[in-house]
Amino acid sequence: MRRPIADVASGADRAFRRITTVAGLSVLALLIVIGFFLVYRAVPAFEVSGFGFFTTIRFNAATGAMGVLGLLYGTVVVALIAVGVAVPLSVLAALFITDYAGPGTRGFLTGLVDLLAAIPSLLYGLWGFSFLRPYITPFSQWLSDNLGWFPLFSTRAGAVLFNSMFLAGLVVSLMVIPITTSVIREVFVQTPLGEKEAALALGGTRWGMVRTVVLPFGRGGIIGGSMLGLGRALGETIAVSLLLPQVPQITTHLLEFGGATISGFIANNAGMSGIGLNGLMAAGLVLFLFTLATNFTASVIISRSRSGAGVDA
């Protein structure tokens, strides 16, 4: 007669489960508390501005004309520029690390990418302001002269081409690359070895194997990593506060001077009081919900994708 096997957790396992459960619930409780605090402080601004808070471009607490539309527009534009630059580079870097680099180079590059995530955003902002800006201005002029027929690269006569949303997006992309590359790399590593070897055994090239096996397997991870990077870019504060004049506006002239983001505007106007402070809290609430929705969507996409399933030992 076979003896039944009972999976009885040890005391250490039970203690570890309790600790991790408490930690997870603490994070959730903290998010809820932050959300309720922002809602509580934002209510006076909503009472003054009404629904116009979401449709007004300018933000002027003195006149009571407070709106988040211009700030939200700049936030989304800078984040999309950052993701548009970072994602292709992240995919190529992850592919090189997982499928082309040797063991020694792979370890070095993995550590280097992780190290980039530890650099303070202030240093990225200072680097972009003092070093990158003089080089981006001629490049922006070249884009305007040669690709000005495309609306996003068009500029007006005599326009100033520094401290633009384009420059801010490029600098923020450097902060997005580490997290996006790490997520995509972890997904590519989990590609079933049997499928990769089968593609090579059938006479496929290395690139053919990557194109037909690795990229389809990691599609969900690429999308999820991109959206996590988007969430990172949406909340960037210090760098954009240094690189943008923080003047809310809606424009398609992305190469020109101007623009503002929610986080950068809050950082530059943190000394406000009264209804102005309530307006900043309301803008922070919008950013909080927008970023939370972005990260939640990324988690859902990753969990429903094939990425990570069927890994061969």
Side-chain angles (χ1 to χ4, degrees), residues 32-266:
I32 294 174
V33 170
I34 293 175
F36 275 110
F37 171 77
L38 290 174
V39 170
Y40 173 75
R41 297 300 300 270
V43 167
F46 292 140
E47 292 177 346
V48 171
S49 301
F51 187 76
F53 184 81
F54 300 99
T55 59
T56 303
I57 297 175
R58 298 296 178 181
F59 193 105
N60 191 336
T63 62
M66 296 182 296
V68 75
L69 183 58
L71 297 174
L72 185 60
Y73 174 82
T75 301
V76 173
V77 168
V78 170
L80 290 179
I81 293 174
V83 171
V85 174
V87 169
L89 295 177
S90 297
V91 172
L92 293 176
L95 284 176
F96 180 78
I97 292 173
T98 57
D99 292 286
Y100 289 91
T105 305
R106 183 181 300 116
F108 171 77
L109 291 178
T110 300
L112 180 62
V113 170
D114 293 338
L115 182 63
L116 289 176
I119 298 177
S121 59
L122 175 62
L123 297 183
Y124 281 110
L126 290 174
W127 176 81
F129 183 83
S130 60
F131 176 80
L132 187 61
R133 187 176 62 162
Y135 294 98
I136 289 299
T137 301
F139 180 62
S140 298
Q141 187 63 56
W142 182 88
L143 289 176
S144 176
D145 294 339
N146 295 274
L147 300 176
W149 52 268
F150 188 63
L152 297 181
F153 295 141
S154 64
T155 57
R156 291 165 290 193
V160 178
L161 302 182
F162 62 86
N163 285 37
S164 62
M165 288 188 282
F166 177 67
L167 171 62
L170 291 180
V171 174
V172 174
S173 70
L174 299 179
M175 308 177 203
V176 174
I177 287 175
I179 183 173
T180 307
T181 303
S182 297
V183 172
I184 297 175
R185 185 189 71 237
E186 290 301 319
V187 173
F188 285 168
V189 166
Q190 297 177 30
T191 305
L193 183 60
E195 294 186 16
K196 297 170 66 175
E197 292 178 343
L200 295 174
L202 290 174
T205 62
R206 181 69 62 90
W207 164 242
M209 179 271 294
V210 168
R211 182 171 53 84
T212 58
V213 177
V214 178
L215 291 178
F217 178 85
R219 185 181 295 113
I222 294 174
I223 297 174
S226 302
M227 297 194 68
L228 288 176
L230 178 62
R232 169 69 176 86
L234 289 171
E236 176 50 39
T237 303
I238 301 300
V240 293
S241 66
L242 293 174
L243 297 170
L244 292 178
Q246 300 306 325
V247 178
Q249 62 177 353
I250 294 181
T251 178
T252 58
H253 302 289
L254 306 183
L255 301 179
E256 296 183 5
F257 177 88
T261 65
I262 294 178
S263 57
F265 188 83
I266 293 175

Side-chain angles (χ1 to χ4, degrees), residues 273-292:
S273 59
I275 193 64
L277 180 59
N278 296 122
L280 294 181
M281 291 291 181
L285 176 62
V286 173
L287 179 62
F288 175 78
L289 295 176
F290 197 77
T291 305
L292 193 64

